[in-house]
Amino acid sequence: MANSAQNLKTTASPPHAAFIEDVLAGRGLLTREQLTFVKTEAKRKQESAEKVIAQMGWVNPEGLAQAKAEVIGVPYIDLAQKPISPEVLAYLPEEVAKRFVVIPIAKEVNTLSVAMVDPLDLSVLEFIEKKSGLTVRPYIATSDSINRAIAEQYTQSLSSEVGEALKEATPGFLGGGGVPFGAVTGVLGEAPVARIVSTLLEYGIKIRASDIHIEPLENETRIRYRIDGILHEKLILPRRIHDAIVSRIKILGNMKIDEKRLPQDARFNFKIGAEEIDLRLSTMPTAFGEKVVMRLLKKSGGVPTLPELGLRGMALRHLEENIARPHGIILVTGPTGSGKTTTLYSVLSKLNSTKVNIMTLEDPVEYQMPGVNQVQINVQAGLTFASGLRAFLRQDPNIIMVGEVRDQETADLAIQASLTGHLVFSTLHTNGAAGALPRLLDMHAEPYLIASTVTCVVGQRVVRRICPTCRIPRKATAEISGKITDVLGKLKPASDKQGYQLYVGQGCRECNNTGYLGRIGIFEVLVVSEKIGRMILGHETSQAIEDQAIVEGMITMKQDGFLKVSEGVTTIEEVLRVAEE
């Protein structure tokens, strides 16, 4: 059992790197004066050079660990964002991991790879070998990263509960030992897999995920969660149980279990405590098996108000003025996933009363709204945006919401509905508010009709909010301050004459160590004035229309984003990620 410990004794001091301080100096992390000081101080205090450097704070823990790895000939590993299989974690109890500041990271045949602070601690290595019954291969990591990994990987119910279920779903039971996957049936066979699927869903709800990706790779299955618009890899599962998990999800969605060559779609409800979640399922055949994506939609929680979405000031006032009109077309623009539908639901929620008949045509219906007549399009049955909109006009509506203007027929019908005294809401996939008007012209809508019916266009994106729990101030550099000033122009806050006080999230347990918690919109609201109406008639470009709107007082998306940056709501990186063209 002590093979790896014995081997480490012989390989711990390679001839090419004798001292940690020399390695750090060679990497430019210590000056010549600092190197001399470290050598003298270590000799005077009878302490290691590593301890002296750490006390002085000249090199960060990661730099020290990397240099130490080179000195002792043990590989360095960065544990940040590295998911560890529950099967691997099961080889070392959490109490042991915490006591010795060590975490198992991988298992190959009879070898267990572990990350530890001091790979030269032979007593710890021998203890782990006895505990796991495997040969240990050590890696070096910082104590902070190991402790963080222990906190994240062990205490997450995801890893621990899935690990327990995997113990029950033994290799011989799940297709190993000559038993085909299809033969795994009955309560006994399904219970562990059903529990794994249930745990994946519960964890997704707990961490506020909007989507769960179950992806087959060549030798493993990867589970990723989309949180606040960004995908995070959270779990690695053995490849052998992938088909069983996909089959379980297909059963829940009443899909064809034996159809693996074609994409399938379905939906079902999932209840956790008092909370009910509507799940949209999608399967797709890939090179290594079927990939599943589950979209999580909360049925409870209500629709956010317009100020909660991030609309304020002049933009909010212009939008509220235009939705109060009895007729006209209001368009919301932005790429997929920019929150257009949520904005429309927020507007409809504000207008919803017993005195008006609101009808929506969606693909698909994402949230149920009491008192609103919601229709889902069904292309196979002949119910499209155009045919549905034509039928809507015979249903005596006051307000119509069409999920998207995709073609000339839908655009013409939306214009006709507006001309006959209806308030029409819809979305368009354009980069900015000004781009919506030339896009309607591209669909061969008459310029004079666009100018007389479209009253307001909203352009939007969503950015992640800085986590309030771990938010810390950060003084903006001269370059960033200059960039903010250039973008904001006259909108620059008077309090920022001495430079901008920005904020960042350090990362904590609340925000899953991302530094962000939740999302907020950045908006631009373009009101179609008489001058802009004339520009539409003259087939002017979107840039010319945007320039005129800015002259008339429109705050652009980027400006709105930078204002939220200067207020400490989000970061400049987030705004540039979504709004930089």
Side-chain angles (χ1 to χ4, degrees), residues 10 29 32 62 67 88 120 154 174 196 206 346 397 421 478 537 566:
T10 58
L29 296 175
R32 188 173 293 176
E62 289 77 18
V88 174
L120 297 179
Y154 278 102
L174 274 175
I196 289 171
K206 183 176 153 190
S346 183
L537 293 173
S566 67

Side-chain angles (χ1 to χ4, degrees), residues 166-183:
L166 283 171
K167 281 181 191 173
E168 293 176 37
T170 58
F173 192 68
L174 274 175
V179 182
F181 266 115

Side-chain angles (χ1 to χ4, degrees), residues 279-527:
L279 277 109
R280 296 218 310 263
L281 305 177
S282 171
T283 67
M284 178 69 67
T286 69
F288 298 115
E290 284 183 283
K291 175 180 174 176
V292 179
V293 176
M294 297 188 278
R295 166 68 57 90
L296 280 63
L297 299 165
K298 282 190 181 180
K299 285 195 165 185
S300 53
V303 178
T305 63
L306 292 171
E308 283 170 353
L309 290 177
L311 272 158
R312 65 224 180 130
M314 192 76 78
L316 177 61
R317 199 179 84 209
H318 283 155
L319 181 58
E320 286 181 334
E321 283 172 359
N322 282 283
I323 65 176
R325 292 184 177 191
H327 55 81
I329 297 174
I330 294 172
L331 296 169
V332 182
T333 72
T336 304
S338 60
K340 300 187 296 295
T341 308
T342 305
T343 300
L344 287 178
Y345 277 128
S346 183
V347 168
L348 293 181
S349 179
K350 187 177 174 68
L351 297 173
N352 192 10
S353 76
T354 54
K355 296 177 183 178
V356 290
N357 176 19
I358 301 177
M359 303 196 70
T360 76
L361 193 58
E362 304 171 60
D363 179 26
V365 173
E366 290 197 12
Y367 302 97
Q368 270 86 38
M369 288 188 74
V372 175
N373 304 287
Q374 295 172 276
V375 178
Q376 182 159 322
I377 72 162
N378 186 340
V379 178
Q380 290 176 327
L383 178 56
T384 62
F385 281 127
S387 65
L389 188 48
R390 197 176 286 111
F392 270 20
L393 296 176
R394 296 191 288 273
Q395 287 278 319
D396 185 32
N398 298 96
I399 297 164
I400 295 170
M401 192 265 266
V402 184
E404 188 186 340
V405 176
R406 291 180 179 171
D407 50 39
Q408 183 184 351
E409 192 179 4
T410 310
D412 288 342
L413 285 164
I415 288 168
Q416 289 306 316
S418 170
L419 290 170
T420 51
H422 302 93
L423 185 57
V424 181
F425 295 96
S426 192
T427 70
L428 270 177
H429 284 91
T430 61
N431 286 332
L437 303 167
R439 177 65 56 87
L440 290 174
L441 290 171
D442 290 343
M443 291 179 185
H444 304 291
E446 292 292 342
Y448 70 93
L449 291 177
I450 297 171
S452 59
T453 56
V454 178
T455 58
C456 172
V457 186
V458 179
Q460 71 176 80
R461 300 285 191 279
V462 280
V463 293
R464 293 181 290 171
R465 283 176 177 270
I466 298 170
C467 173
T469 309
C470 61
R471 192 180 84 150
I472 56 165
R474 185 182 72 182
K475 197 78 173 172
T477 62
E479 185 186 349
I480 289 174
S481 291
K483 189 161 193 170
I484 295 174
T485 301
D486 289 344
V487 171
L488 291 182
K490 293 176 184 176
L491 299 171
K492 182 179 186 288
S495 59
D496 288 326
K497 286 176 182 174
Q498 302 301 315
Y500 293 89
Q501 179 70 70
L502 306 182
Y503 291 86
V504 292
Q506 280 183 302
C508 64
R509 197 155 188 173
E510 283 291 311
C511 62
N512 218 21
N513 287 310
T514 59
Y516 297 99
L517 187 67
R519 292 194 286 177
I520 193 168
I522 56 173
F523 297 87
E524 59 187 21
V525 177
L526 184 152
V527 177

Side-chain angles (χ1 to χ4, degrees), residues 173-343:
F173 192 68
L174 274 175
V179 182
F181 266 115
V184 182
T185 55
V187 177
L188 186 62
E190 214 160 284
V193 174
R195 208 156 75 247
I196 289 171
V197 172
S198 178
T199 303
L200 293 178
L201 288 170
E202 286 175 19
Y203 183 72
I205 294 161
K206 183 176 153 190
I207 62 170
R208 307 170 298 101
S210 61
D211 301 84
I212 304 172
H213 292 239
I214 300 169
E215 302 170 309
L217 306 178
E218 191 171 4
N219 301 311
E220 59 199 17
T221 291
R222 178 170 68 174
I223 312 293
R224 293 196 289 174
Y225 290 85
R226 191 176 291 281
I227 308 162
D228 295 333
I230 306 292
L231 277 170
H232 298 269
E233 191 174 325
K234 290 290 179 185
L235 190 64
I236 297 292
L237 292 175
R239 183 68 181 82
R240 68 173 191 274
I241 69 161
H242 179 81
D243 287 357
I245 288 173
V246 172
S247 295
R248 173 64 186 164
I249 293 167
K250 283 183 173 180
I251 289 167
L252 292 171
N254 287 320
M255 294 166 145
K256 294 178 183 174
I257 298 175
D258 58 341
E259 180 54 84
K260 300 183 178 185
R261 301 163 301 167
L262 296 172
Q264 294 186 65
D265 293 297
R267 64 192 305 164
F268 72 93
N269 289 347
F270 180 80
K271 200 161 186 180
I272 172 169
E275 198 163 26
E276 196 173 354
I277 306 292
D278 189 22
L279 277 109
R280 296 218 310 263
L281 305 177
S282 171
T283 67
M284 178 69 67
T286 69
F288 298 115
E290 284 183 283
K291 175 180 174 176
V292 179
V293 176
M294 297 188 278
R295 166 68 57 90
L296 280 63
L297 299 165
K298 282 190 181 180
K299 285 195 165 185
S300 53
V303 178
T305 63
L306 292 171
E308 283 170 353
L309 290 177
L311 272 158
R312 65 224 180 130
M314 192 76 78
L316 177 61
R317 199 179 84 209
H318 283 155
L319 181 58
E320 286 181 334
E321 283 172 359
N322 282 283
I323 65 176
R325 292 184 177 191
H327 55 81
I329 297 174
I330 294 172
L331 296 169
V332 182
T333 72
T336 304
S338 60
K340 300 187 296 295
T341 308
T342 305
T343 300

